[in-house]
Amino acid sequence: MQRFKNKIALITGGTNGMGFATAQQFIQEGGKVIITGRSETTVKNALSNLGENASGIVSDAGNMKDLMRLQEEVKKHAEQIDVLFVNAGYGRFAPIEHVDENHFDELFNLLAKGPYFTVQQIVPLMKTGSSVIFNTSIATDIAMHSFSVYSAAKSAVQSFIKTFALELTEKGIRVNGISPGHIKTNIFNNTGLSAEQIEHAVQDIISTIPLKRQGEPSEIANAVLFLASDEASYIHGAEIKVDAGISVIR
Ligand SMILES: NC(=O)c1ccc[n+]([C@@H]2O[C@H](COP(=O)([O-])OP(=O)(O)OC[C@H]3O[C@@H](n4cnc5c(N)ncnc54)[C@H](OP(=O)(O)O)[C@@H]3O)[C@@H](O)[C@H]2O)c1
């Protein structure tokens, strides 16, 4: 399939995990991508794997200076963006008594403020028929221990889906989200847990997943590409759960 021939996607956090998988599939289906990441090294490494139809920008999604430069940086690579996947992020997890102001601000800057101003910056480059897709989380549906700040920040993004869908309707831009369950990515590597603790946590998590396995990043990319495609032309202001049923099956 070549659903994205002549289309350009901007994927924040496209160096790894779900963002990288989405970039790979978008290119396979005929499109070009611009990815962002936190460092020269991660961006260069991803670009060397994605090939000639990808370009990259080092931009910290939690840093207001970088966010305010994003439109100018993107314009160096493309005049128009057809698909914006607002995906960059990581988690930090702690029970309420151990959360400090830094933890709170770091996650809200990266996961709520970042997505907000990313869209504000990029919408002027988007025309009728284009599409914004946010990455939220099932942590907005289920109470998860130590996730209070992460879940609240992702819930803010859920709210953006609805208001932005309303505000961008007149521009002909569809706005939707995907809500991933437990996906096999590097997300735990930013948490400060040891490899052994991560393995333990993953095994605990798997026992709670109805399909008894973590999702693959490509399974999220499939849903993102569907929402970005013409097949989803009547889907607007929605959030698709890609979570093996964990948010509804107990
Ligand atoms: N994995 C899950 O189970 C899960 C479930 C629900 C939702 N999510 C959400 O899915 C999104 C993608 O995460 P993932 O699981 O695919 O993790 P991942 O494999 O760790 O990838 C995270 C991506 O985000 C980028 N990133 C992180 N912090 C950034 C920052 N400050 N500025 C710019 N880029 C940044 C990383 O870039 P670098 O390589 O440069 O660091 C990387 O490209 C996140 O928003 C996460 O909250 C994950």
Side-chain angles (χ1 to χ4, degrees), residues 13 15 18 38 42 59-61 87 135-136 150 154 181 183 185:
T15 61
M18 301 178 221
R38 273 181 289 190
T42 54
S59 178
D60 183 340
N87 166 74
N135 191 336
T136 62
Y150 179 88
K154 288 289 190 182
I183 312 302
T185 68

Side-chain angles (χ1 to χ4, degrees), residues 170-229:
E170 64 184 25
K171 290 184 188 295
I173 300 172
R174 289 184 302 107
V175 181
N176 294 293
I178 46 122
S179 177
H182 297 290
I183 312 302
K184 215 186 289 170
T185 68
N186 291 321
I187 193 156
F188 281 114
N189 296 353
N190 286 291
T191 54
L193 296 176
S194 68
E196 199 182 326
Q197 286 171 317
I198 292 174
E199 183 52 31
H200 210 259
V202 167
Q203 288 315 320
D204 276 355
I205 286 167
I206 286 175
S207 67
T208 68
I209 302 173
L211 296 183
K212 299 292 173 232
R213 66 173 178 85
Q214 287 178 289
E216 297 295 332
S218 62
E219 293 176 296
I220 299 299
N222 290 339
V224 176
L225 263 58
F226 166 66
L227 284 173
S229 74

Side-chain angles (χ1 to χ4, degrees), residues 114-207:
Y116 190 97
F117 287 101
T118 297
V119 174
Q120 188 195 68
Q121 280 283 302
I122 301 306
V123 156
L125 305 180
M126 301 180 83
K127 298 222 161 66
T128 293
S130 53
S131 157
V132 175
I133 297 138
F134 286 102
N135 191 336
T136 62
S137 169
I138 46 143
T140 61
D141 290 302
I142 314 168
M144 293 169 80
H145 197 279
S146 302
F147 272 60
S148 56
V149 183
Y150 179 88
S151 303
K154 288 289 190 182
S155 297
V157 177
Q158 263 186 332
S159 167
F160 299 158
I161 294 171
K162 295 174 200 139
T163 317
F164 289 175
L166 168 65
E167 292 188 11
L168 298 182
T169 296
E170 64 184 25
K171 290 184 188 295
I173 300 172
R174 289 184 302 107
V175 181
N176 294 293
I178 46 122
S179 177
H182 297 290
I183 312 302
K184 215 186 289 170
T185 68
N186 291 321
I187 193 156
F188 281 114
N189 296 353
N190 286 291
T191 54
L193 296 176
S194 68
E196 199 182 326
Q197 286 171 317
I198 292 174
E199 183 52 31
H200 210 259
V202 167
Q203 288 315 320
D204 276 355
I205 286 167
I206 286 175
S207 67

